[in-house]
Amino acid sequence: MKKKWIATIVMTAMLCGLLVGCGDAGEAGSSGSGGQPSMSDVTDGENVEDSSFGGEDDQREAALTTQSVVDKGVIKLRFIFYGDMTARREEYFKTDFHDRVLNDLNIDLTVETLPWGSANNVATMLASGEAFACYWNTSSGPDWPSKGYLSPIDYEMIQALCPNLIQARGENNGFECVKYNGEIYGIPFGNKPYSGSTQAFDVRNDILRGCGYEASDIHTYDQLMEVIAAVHEKYPNLRILRSSGFLANALRTELSDQVFGVADLSPTFAYVDELEEGDQVYSYYESETYKNICRISAEWAELGYISKDELTNPTQGVADWESGNCLFCYGMPGAYISTSLKMANPDAEEKLIVLDGIQKIKGNDYDWGIAISATDGEHTDRWLTLFNWMYQDQEHYNFCVYGVEGKDFVYNEDGTINRLCADSFIDSWFMEAIPYNIYDPSISQESIELYINWDNDAVTAKSTGFQFDSSPVSSELAMMTAVYDEMLKPMSIGLLDFDKNYADAVKQLKDAGLDAYLAEYQRQFTEWYEEK
């Protein structure tokens, strides 16, 4: 039996604060508590009574409720995730999940999965006019809205149909992160710490301890190098880094006085200094920071700390980390509550190393959400009822993440969960919301507190919410990306000689149109910055 007290505690915590609009109380017609439909307005099927609705359109909007949408009848929808479709996961989506969604929401839902790294495939599907909703990350498809691939989502419709999701997201987590030109193009999921992502080292502390060290004792670059040398000597066949792309963030104090985020091994041709006043845009691959990361990475590669298969077989690093044969991964706050490595090695212990002087930057208040294809925009209300249903209460959340009680998991006496099936359903990292979290009994209360309060000393990036429209310089971007793939990427991870190739790489960037790209980036950022 599910512990009733879990849901009671969670709902009490959730009702402490209701989001009214992404930190902007004036956004999208929000006008205090009267402008936000209550949970009962939606789930009970009653009309929303709100003095802010005046004309006929507003009156029709006021009548929009989950029940009014469900009463439209059965509709077929298609949902696309990234990941693996295991046998049990496929069965779950075709039977258990499908049948409950059909019964509760009149949605005949088909769930498909594509391998990670399939964003280009999804873009092709969107361009061809296929109707579906899909995982969405602004960093993986920032130009989809500008190309007309996605359907904009009305904020008042979100308020009316997604109060459960809004409450689970929390009062400081809104929709600015999924906007383009003022329009919302995705529904962000989850509520968890996001600052400092890739600015730290996620380390196997049990391996450090075997060499006489503790993660908590490492504060400087020299100490870090001392520890790596000791581990490499004792375990010469142990992989040091899952991937090296995060080093530009985690070693920031060794590289530059500027503070900015660089996506893991992604082309980042332009950047702003997040702690500098003003709207100045800089060229990343001409910066001292990039030159320094190339030099440091070359040293690491020579010492055997960066593996050559990062270019030839990039998935090997993931496999080594997940099997327990790797020392470092890019640091995320979730390392404090992760138990995934314990499945491969029960003695595995993850800790974070943050070097002195690293200022944690928060650029998003979500990592992944869901977007709706432009072709399926007419069914936005049906999708929103599904998203809201997924966060309806603790029982719905557990069903989405852990599967069927008694078949895929059971409750322990203390209210924690004992999983009977190792398969993922809707990924826990995607759905995760602190109000609904059920922590593994092996996680200490100290680690939980560190995790929950991780963002407290973070600085919000001044570029938060800015999305660059690359369409005016699409040809230049394509040619620059080719230079990146051939020269800049291998240089940045120490696998191509910097001194011999850097000048030629910059020349090729210039010939490809770097200056035009930077000018367009500066124009767009200045315009956005001045209006912010």
Side-chain angles (χ1 to χ4, degrees):
M1 288 290 293
K2 180 170 75 74
K3 299 294 182 181
K4 300 294 185 183
W5 61 267
I6 299 177
T8 301
I9 292 174
V10 169
M11 291 305 296
T12 300
M14 287 166 54
L15 290 172
C16 289
L18 184 63
L19 173 70
V20 295
C22 198
D24 183 357
E27 180 187 30
S30 236
S31 55
S33 59
Q36 174 71 51
S38 70
M39 190 176 299
S40 62
D41 289 330
V42 177
T43 56
D44 293 342
E46 300 173 1
N47 289 350
V48 178
E49 295 182 1
D50 187 341
S51 60
S52 66
F53 295 112
E56 291 183 5
D57 290 341
D58 287 339
Q59 291 171 7
R60 283 195 295 270
E61 189 71 34
L64 186 64
T65 66
T66 293
Q67 195 59 53
S68 70
V69 174
V70 171
D71 287 345
K72 291 181 178 181
V74 176
I75 186 173
K76 288 182 176 290
L77 295 179
R78 181 185 177 203
F79 207 164
I80 295 177
F81 290 158
Y82 295 124
D84 298 321
M85 185 63 89
T86 62
R88 173 56 189 142
R89 194 183 201 191
E90 183 175 20
E91 178 191 29
Y92 166 83
F93 281 131
K94 286 184 176 180
T95 57
D96 306 296
F97 189 74
H98 171 273
D99 293 348
R100 282 195 63 174
V101 171
L102 179 61
N103 180 72
D104 292 357
L105 300 175
N106 271 342
I107 295 175
D108 183 0
L109 185 67
T110 299
V111 177
E112 304 170 21
T113 59
L114 292 174
W116 284 102
S118 299
N120 288 338
N121 302 67
V122 175
T124 300
M125 295 161 63
L126 291 167
S128 66
E130 295 186 38
F132 58 90
C134 59
Y135 272 7
W136 163 252
N137 184 320
T138 55
S139 66
S140 65
D143 59 348
W144 289 358
S146 68
K147 292 180 177 178
Y149 292 169
L150 304 180
S151 176
I153 304 172
D154 180 72
Y155 182 70
E156 290 186 356
M157 184 181 290
I158 297 172
Q159 288 183 302
L161 296 180
C162 288
N164 301 328
L165 182 145
I166 287 172
Q167 289 193 33
R169 287 271 293 154
E171 61 184 4
N172 295 318
N173 298 282
F175 297 91
E176 287 296 331
C177 47
V178 284
K179 280 187 175 182
Y180 176 80
N181 283 345
E183 296 272 14
I184 297 171
Y185 281 95
I187 299 298
F189 270 54
N191 172 6
K192 54 188 175 182
Y194 292 103
S195 69
S197 297
T198 77
Q199 291 183 281
F201 291 84
D202 182 355
V203 64
R204 284 283 303 277
N205 196 52
D206 53 304
I207 295 177
L208 292 190
R209 189 176 295 120
C211 296
Y213 297 91
E214 289 282 343
S216 58
D217 297 329
I218 302 170
H219 303 285
T220 68
Y221 180 75
D222 289 342
Q223 290 173 332
L224 179 72
M225 297 300 285
E226 175 187 331
V227 167
I228 296 176
V231 171
H232 191 56
E233 181 178 0
K234 186 170 183 177
Y235 305 107
N237 296 322
L238 179 73
R239 188 185 191 98
I240 299 300
L241 292 171
R242 170 177 161 170
S243 62
S244 58
F246 75 100
L247 291 178
N249 294 325
L251 300 179
R252 177 66 58 211
T253 54
E254 296 297 311
L255 305 175
S256 172
D257 293 331
Q258 293 181 314
V259 176
F260 57 94
V262 179
D264 185 16
L265 292 182
S266 297
T268 307
F269 299 104
Y271 73 94
V272 298
D273 182 349
E274 298 293 0
L275 299 185
E276 177 186 71
E277 292 187 7
D279 61 349
Q280 180 63 48
V281 170
Y282 300 95
S283 171
Y284 177 62
Y285 294 110
E286 296 179 275
S287 70
E288 290 303 312
T289 299
Y290 175 73
K291 297 174 186 177
N292 289 337
I293 195 60
C294 289
R295 295 181 178 115
I296 284 179
S297 295
E299 179 185 356
W300 282 47
E302 185 177 351
L303 291 169
Y305 303 164
I306 295 177
S307 302
K308 294 181 179 179
D309 61 14
E310 285 202 28
L311 292 177
T312 59
N313 185 17
T315 61
Q316 186 59 49
V318 178
D320 286 343
W321 174 261
E322 293 179 349
S323 67
N325 189 41
C326 184
L327 180 63
F328 289 124
C329 181
Y330 50 84
M332 307 286 280
Y336 283 117
I337 60 169
S338 173
T339 59
S340 59
L341 285 182
K342 290 183 179 293
M343 298 175 65
N345 185 344
D347 296 324
E349 179 188 7
E350 291 180 73
K351 295 290 185 180
L352 293 185
I353 295 174
V354 181
L355 298 185
D356 287 350
I358 296 289
Q359 170 63 63
K360 287 187 294 187
I361 297 295
K362 181 176 180 178
N364 279 331
D365 55 24
Y366 91 118
D367 45 15
W368 287 82
I370 299 175
I372 302 167
S373 68
T375 308
D376 215 22
E378 62 183 305
H379 301 136
T380 296
D381 57 348
R382 307 305 294 266
W383 283 113
L384 295 182
T385 63
L386 173 63
F387 305 156
N388 191 64
W389 177 91
M390 292 162 70
Y391 284 101
Q392 181 168 312
D393 53 31
Q394 186 78 53
E395 190 275 331
H396 279 72
Y397 176 87
N398 290 350
F399 173 70
C400 290
V401 172
Y402 302 114
V404 179
E405 182 183 356
K407 183 175 184 179
D408 301 306
F409 75 95
V410 293
Y411 287 94
N412 299 317
E413 284 300 316
D414 62 357
T416 59
I417 279 177
N418 180 26
R419 301 195 67 172
L420 307 177
C421 174
D423 293 35
S424 294
F425 298 104
I426 297 178
D427 291 310
S428 58
W429 60 262
F430 175 75
M431 284 282 294
E432 184 195 342
I434 286 175
Y436 286 131
N437 278 359
I438 298 176
Y439 300 99
D440 190 272
S442 66
I443 305 299
S444 69
Q445 188 60 39
E446 179 185 10
S447 293
I448 293 171
E449 290 298 323
L450 283 170
Y451 175 71
I452 292 174
N453 295 294
W454 177 257
D455 283 352
N456 289 356
D457 58 348
V459 172
T460 299
K462 71 178 181 183
S463 60
T464 298
F466 173 72
Q467 290 297 323
F468 177 61
D469 177 8
S470 63
S471 54
V473 286
S474 57
S475 59
E476 289 88 346
L477 178 58
M479 291 187 289
M480 290 191 303
T481 300
V483 178
Y484 165 81
D485 289 336
E486 180 183 357
M487 303 185 73
L488 298 170
K489 178 178 178 178
M491 267 194 292
S492 68
I493 60 176
L495 300 181
L496 180 66
D497 188 277
F498 172 80
D499 293 326
K500 293 180 179 179
N501 293 282
Y502 177 71
D504 184 41
V506 172
K507 181 180 184 304
Q508 290 189 42
L509 277 185
K510 295 284 190 179
D511 292 343
L514 175 62
D515 291 339
Y517 178 93
L518 292 171
E520 177 61 24
Y521 199 104
Q522 180 72 73
R523 184 192 68 78
Q524 291 186 31
F525 186 76
T526 297
E527 181 179 327
W528 173 85
Y529 186 82
E530 291 178 349
E531 293 178 356
K532 186 176 66 167

